[in-house]
Amino acid sequence: MGTSASGDNTDSIVDHMLIDESENYLATTEPELDSFRTSALFLIKAQEIHKVSQTALDDIIAELTFICSRELTVLQSKVFKCLSIGGVDPYKINGLKEIFNKCYLHNPFHGLTSDHLRGRYIEEHLGFVEPKEIKLGKKLVRRCIGVRSRWSLTWDCAYYVPLLQSLQQLLKNDPILSEVLKGHHMRDGTLGDYCDGSIYKHHDLFKSNPNAIQVMLYYDDVEVVNPIGSRTKKHKLALFYYTLGNISPCYRSSLKCIQLVMIVKYTHLRKYGIDTILKPFVQELKMLEHDDGVAFNVKDTTYHFRGTLTIVSADNPASHLIGGYRSLSSALRKCCFCMAVDITESYYSEDFQPRTRVTHANHCSTLEASPEYFATTYGVQRDSILNELRFFHVTEGLPMDAMHDLLEGVVQYETKELLKQLISEGIVTLQQVNDAIVSFPYSYVDASSKPVPIENTTLTSRDHKLKQTAAQAWCLARLLPFMIGSEIPEDHPHWLNFLLLLKIVDVVFAPVCTMDNITYLRELINDHHSAFQDLYPDSPILPKMHYMIHIPEWILRVGPLSRCWCMRYEAKHNYFKTIAHRIKSFKNISKAMANRHQTLMCYYLSNAHLSPIHKDMRTPKCHEIAIENYQYRAQLDKVTSLTESSIISSTSWIEINGTTYKTGVFVVTASDMLPLFSQIVDIVVLQEEKCYFICEAYETLGFYNHYHAYEITKSSALELNAIQQCDLVDFHPLSCHSVSNSFYICMKYHIVELY
């Protein structure tokens, strides 16, 4: 960095840079406070969004401080010179010199140059919710002091973000408060979220308080270091998140909406027990459940809210741990939804005795007599601390996770068994399958989740996995018909059963369900499991396959499972993994990451345009066109009131609320028993930031089961329309695939509006 400056003003610059920053910067004028806020948000964005290291951030502050101070001094010299040439003595203009000498102009980061000062500003002005240190117990550790070492006592700690303070911070954000107050129930009898399910409708709290706060909890164990390194167990963390079920699902999927509850080392969680870890969280939930609720002060207005825990999302081991259930390997009854012993006895959930509050309490009471025997017999080893809550019980709030049970479980299991069968029959070879996976023309829609080639050792291993992530497994299952479907006879029984599984996946991941969908899904699962048992006699029915028979009833109770699955929560892990890699210090990694995350939340909640409930639109540099020269003006005139002087912008892609649309992709624009697809031929952005897709309509010929896709063709007459994203039947962009000179589109899931 340059450290010299020309002219006689160098000393004054340095004087401004050396001002004592520990002085009370609150005693400043309003412009200075705005400057502090802008500078603080800039530094938070650099550190938390772009993951700039502390050393790099210090360099940025020093360089920008020098540049601003130097340029301001040059500007002052030029202004004074111009005034002197004009016959005005600048030194006689009242307050002019003081304006240029203002500290915050010479040093925009005054009061923010150290981590301590930034932390103080964020705490006092941006509503920082400080993680609370929870002391779990003491341990004896050996510490090195110089060349000697000695034993000392130290605390095992967890770091908890107080729930009520976190809710207070969220409710101060106007869009979030509006979401809580207005609700988002479906009005047509369909199931779109938890608030449409039977539990909500018959809930003792929500019946009388429909706007009560819905807390959705998530728990997972995460490795923040190299998973095959030597420090994996040592630095494994247990992460607890929550999100508000009151927020509409279209916004709730944003990572900004997922809040941190607790960070604790996994070894501490196992040592002290998950009930001890969750105790402060449960205590605050009890306060929220109280008849008087909790008062939240929002901009001079006091709101009294009640609330409770609604759903706990987790993978199977974590779900069993939270619920107090025995692990699968040591329990006679392996299902935490029913009392099944032989899971192949039936593939209808009503044929098994369900677990209820009453049966669960009875099982817990028997543990006192013979803990090991009854824990093994009933699969319950303790009563969860969550059952202390007034309006929650683990038998009603621990649904299965569709991501783990289907995408990382049954889908990979059956795909693996199917490929083994097809290869053994000589229909395809593993090399053909891998060549198809590698050479398949993935569109940008699927490129980020394209599957990896399958190793021969993976196919012959005794486990039930294909070594694909959940997203890759979903992508492979959807596109496998296009990859190898032309090689497989249409009446092949194993292939037909695989297509049956794809139909199940379509309904399970649908964002909206009807009662007919639930009945249909129930029969699909029974047919699939029965056929699987016959087709693959040497392959067992897995517990995850048994869990599937409970999916219809859980959708009826809590709404579509895609509204509470773990996929979006697990995406949140990437932030903590990146932070751990950046800071490279594990002395107290839990505290460091908790503080960093809370600083990030301050940034997101500081302005309306950064809010989790903000409708975001991002485009590249657009090409401006006069409306009179635009080739699709006729289509725009039907839906807008543009004048001859209007200027529009044309672009090849746009990102709306996190979804990217590019010219050439297809969208579902209408339905007439079958989905009607249109191809985006242009994207137009108006000056008022409205976006329109210019779409060419295609004709849908029908659903081709062998490819699990809709066959489409160009309409005989060219039909172009301008349509906004909010008017699409489904917001997902879709890609078109060609097979034997025919064109097909595979939907991501079942869409209720089509039927």
Side-chain angles (χ1 to χ4, degrees):
M1 159 182 160
T3 57
S4 63
S6 60
D8 297 330
N9 294 304
T10 305
D11 292 339
S12 63
I13 296 173
V14 175
D15 289 341
H16 285 298
M17 295 175 65
L18 296 179
I19 290 177
D20 181 11
E21 295 185 3
S22 64
E23 64 184 88
N24 185 4
Y25 51 76
L26 297 180
T28 54
T29 62
E30 188 173 339
E32 288 178 281
L33 288 175
D34 291 340
S35 176
F36 278 133
R37 184 180 182 85
T38 302
S39 298
L41 292 177
F42 167 79
L43 296 177
I44 294 174
K45 183 176 182 179
Q47 191 167 36
E48 305 302 338
I49 303 293
H50 299 293
K51 311 299 188 301
V52 173
S53 67
Q54 184 63 51
T55 301
L57 193 67
D58 291 340
D59 287 344
I60 290 172
I61 291 173
E63 291 286 353
L64 288 179
T65 297
F66 177 78
I67 292 171
C68 291
S69 188
R70 183 187 61 188
E71 293 302 314
L72 189 63
T73 302
V74 172
L75 177 63
Q76 178 182 355
S77 177
K78 289 182 178 180
V79 169
F80 277 36
K81 185 176 180 180
C82 287
L83 289 174
S84 298
I85 293 174
V88 178
D89 186 353
Y91 295 98
K92 292 184 177 180
I93 299 178
N94 213 12
L96 179 60
K97 186 177 180 181
E98 287 72 17
I99 291 176
F100 283 101
N101 288 337
K102 280 288 186 181
C103 173
Y104 74 91
L105 293 177
H106 281 279
N107 182 0
F109 302 107
H110 169 66
L112 300 168
T113 53
S114 71
D115 190 55
H116 168 71
L117 291 173
R118 286 194 296 275
R120 191 177 75 173
Y121 179 85
I122 292 169
E123 183 177 347
E124 295 177 357
H125 292 274
L126 298 181
F128 179 78
V129 179
E130 183 179 5
K132 183 179 179 182
E133 185 178 79
I134 306 298
K135 294 182 177 180
L136 304 172
K138 289 185 177 182
K139 66 179 179 180
L140 197 62
V141 297
R142 195 178 190 91
R143 296 189 181 278
C144 294
I145 303 175
V147 295
R148 297 183 178 181
S149 63
R150 67 177 184 181
W151 292 97
S152 62
L153 283 174
T154 186
W155 285 98
D156 288 333
C157 296
Y159 291 88
Y160 168 64
V161 179
L163 175 65
L164 298 182
Q165 292 183 38
S166 179
L167 290 174
Q168 173 75 71
Q169 183 188 39
L170 289 176
L171 294 173
K172 285 184 177 179
N173 185 272
D174 289 340
I176 293 179
L177 178 62
S178 176
E179 285 285 309
V180 173
L181 293 176
K182 73 179 182 181
H184 56 274
H185 303 268
M186 301 294 284
R187 307 298 180 187
D188 56 0
T190 58
L191 301 169
D193 202 2
Y194 176 82
C195 57
D196 303 308
S198 61
I199 290 181
Y200 179 93
K201 292 177 179 178
H202 301 96
H203 200 279
D204 290 339
L205 174 61
F206 297 126
K207 279 193 300 184
S208 57
N209 294 272
N211 294 326
I213 291 175
Q214 305 168 29
V215 179
M216 304 173 73
L217 182 66
Y218 168 80
Y219 158 56
D220 195 14
D221 302 319
V222 181
E223 286 285 4
V224 294
V225 296
N226 185 350
I228 59 174
S230 61
R231 301 297 182 100
T232 51
K233 295 284 182 71
K234 181 177 181 180
H235 298 307
K236 189 175 184 179
L237 299 177
L239 298 176
F240 295 83
Y241 307 141
Y242 86 90
T243 188
L244 290 183
N246 308 76
I247 298 174
S248 301
C250 60
Y251 300 120
R252 200 167 68 223
S253 61
S254 169
L255 298 185
K256 300 177 183 179
C257 285
I258 301 175
Q259 305 299 313
L260 180 65
V261 174
M262 180 92 68
I263 298 183
V264 61
K265 283 191 173 183
Y266 176 74
T267 53
H268 294 169
L269 182 141
R270 300 301 296 185
K271 179 179 179 181
Y272 298 102
I274 194 169
D275 289 345
T276 301
I277 302 299
L278 287 175
K279 187 175 181 179
F281 176 69
V282 171
Q283 287 175 339
E284 291 203 273
L285 278 173
K286 289 179 179 179
M287 296 171 62
L288 200 59
E289 289 183 327
H290 195 271
D291 291 341
D292 297 329
V294 175
F296 295 96
N297 297 316
V298 181
K299 296 181 179 178
D300 300 325
T301 302
T302 300
Y303 295 89
H304 285 83
F305 283 109
R306 298 179 70 190
T308 190
L309 184 64
T310 56
I311 288 176
V312 179
S313 301
D315 60 17
N316 288 313
S319 181
H320 281 68
L321 180 62
I322 289 180
Y325 298 107
R326 200 96 190 236
S327 61
L328 292 178
S329 59
S330 59
L332 177 64
R333 292 174 170 84
K334 302 181 184 300
C335 182
C336 55
F337 312 118
C338 72
M339 300 299 294
V341 175
D342 179 8
I343 60 176
T344 63
E345 180 183 337
S346 173
Y347 299 121
Y348 290 114
S349 63
E350 58 265 32
D351 291 335
F352 299 99
Q353 180 186 357
R355 293 186 187 267
T356 65
R357 292 187 181 222
V358 174
T359 61
H360 189 82
N362 290 336
H363 296 158
C364 290
S365 65
T366 62
L367 295 175
E368 298 178 2
S370 180
E372 186 63 28
Y373 173 77
F374 287 112
T376 302
T377 302
Y378 297 123
V380 177
Q381 61 182 11
R382 75 176 206 287
D383 194 13
S384 171
I385 190 174
L386 297 181
N387 290 338
E388 295 179 7
L389 295 172
R390 182 176 171 186
F391 300 111
F392 178 86
H393 196 272
V394 294
T395 59
E396 300 170 355
L398 278 174
M400 71 283 295
D401 178 59
M403 186 194 87
H404 288 98
D405 291 346
L406 280 174
L407 301 184
E408 291 186 355
V410 179
V411 169
Q412 296 200 38
Y413 178 37
E414 181 159 353
T415 304
K416 180 176 180 177
E417 296 303 317
L418 171 68
L419 292 177
K420 287 162 63 176
Q421 181 68 30
L422 296 177
I423 292 171
S424 68
E425 293 181 17
I427 296 176
V428 295
T429 66
L430 181 58
Q431 186 62 45
Q432 283 180 296
V433 174
N434 285 333
D435 289 344
I437 290 174
V438 173
S439 62
F440 189 80
Y442 301 96
S443 73
Y444 81 93
V445 176
D446 299 308
S448 61
S449 57
K450 61 182 179 182
V452 297
I454 301 167
E455 299 288 340
N456 185 60
T457 53
T458 300
L459 209 58
T460 57
S461 64
R462 300 188 64 179
D463 64 16
H464 308 301
K465 297 183 179 297
L466 277 178
K467 307 301 186 221
Q468 310 280 342
T469 66
Q472 290 171 335
W474 196 4
C475 181
L476 177 61
R478 288 176 50 248
L479 301 182
L480 192 63
F482 300 124
M483 294 178 181
I484 63 173
S486 59
E487 306 292 330
I488 302 172
E490 293 196 4
D491 60 349
H492 194 286
H494 297 78
W495 182 253
L496 291 175
N497 202 52
F498 175 73
L499 295 175
L500 207 58
L501 177 62
L502 294 185
K503 291 180 181 179
I504 293 172
V505 172
D506 285 351
V507 178
V508 171
F509 289 111
V512 179
C513 291
T514 64
M515 295 301 297
D516 289 340
N517 295 151
I518 295 174
T519 302
Y520 176 57
L521 178 62
R522 176 177 172 274
E523 298 302 327
L524 280 178
I525 293 172
N526 177 69
D527 293 345
H528 170 268
H529 286 14
S530 300
F532 184 93
Q533 192 172 13
D534 295 335
L535 293 170
Y536 303 99
D538 297 327
S539 301
I541 297 294
L542 302 180
K544 288 183 178 181
M545 298 179 73
H546 170 76
Y547 299 158
M548 287 175 62
I549 74 173
H550 296 287
I551 290 178
E553 67 187 66
W554 273 107
I555 294 176
L556 183 63
R557 297 167 82 180
V558 301
L561 296 186
S562 59
R563 301 306 195 193
C564 59
W565 66 338
C566 293
M567 183 75 86
R568 294 307 295 158
Y569 290 112
E570 293 203 356
K572 183 87 171 181
H573 295 341
N574 291 331
Y575 169 78
F576 292 102
K577 292 179 181 179
T578 305
I579 290 297
H581 175 72
R582 292 286 185 179
I583 62 180
K584 295 182 173 62
S585 173
F586 294 88
K587 186 175 182 180
N588 195 345
I589 188 67
S590 301
K591 180 178 181 180
M593 292 204 302
N595 282 318
R596 292 286 293 267
H597 177 271
Q598 291 308 105
T599 301
L600 176 66
M601 287 300 107
C602 289
Y603 175 78
Y604 283 142
L605 297 170
S606 61
N607 286 307
H609 74 279
L610 298 173
S611 169
I613 317 296
H614 176 65
K615 293 183 179 180
D616 190 31
M617 183 184 297
R618 188 171 66 92
T619 64
K621 187 175 181 180
C622 299
H623 176 56
E624 290 192 349
I625 306 173
I627 186 63
E628 58 185 359
N629 299 324
Y630 187 54
Q631 60 178 322
Y632 303 116
R633 177 181 178 178
Q635 284 71 37
L636 283 179
D637 284 342
K638 294 178 181 179
V639 294
T640 64
S641 302
L642 299 175
T643 63
E644 292 295 330
S645 59
S646 297
I647 301 295
I648 63 174
S649 298
S650 177
T651 180
S652 60
W653 68 270
I654 189 170
E655 183 182 292
I656 303 176
N657 295 338
T659 301
T660 301
Y661 299 89
K662 294 184 178 181
T663 54
V665 300
F666 286 78
V667 288
V668 184
T669 52
S671 65
D672 183 15
M673 295 303 294
L674 290 173
L676 301 181
F677 301 96
S678 295
Q679 186 177 33
I680 298 177
V681 297
D682 196 19
I683 301 172
V684 181
V685 180
L686 307 186
Q687 290 178 328
E688 57 269 27
E689 294 190 354
K690 283 186 178 180
C691 171
Y692 286 90
F693 302 135
I694 306 300
C695 298
E696 179 183 354
Y698 275 62
E699 181 182 350
T700 304
L701 301 179
F703 183 78
Y704 192 6
N705 185 60
H706 187 68
Y707 292 116
H708 192 69
Y710 291 94
E711 185 177 0
I712 63 169
T713 186
K714 278 199 172 187
S715 300
S716 54
L718 180 64
E719 181 183 346
L720 294 170
N721 295 290
I723 187 169
Q724 290 184 279
Q725 188 218 32
C726 59
D727 296 324
L728 298 176
V729 174
D730 182 66
F731 73 92
H732 275 109
L734 302 167
S735 53
C736 181
H737 303 283
S738 174
V739 181
S740 301
N741 297 321
S742 296
F743 298 95
Y744 300 92
I745 292 179
C746 177
M747 303 286 285
K748 293 214 54 148
Y749 42 65
H750 175 83
I751 299 177
V752 167
E753 287 85 348
L754 303 181
Y755 305 98

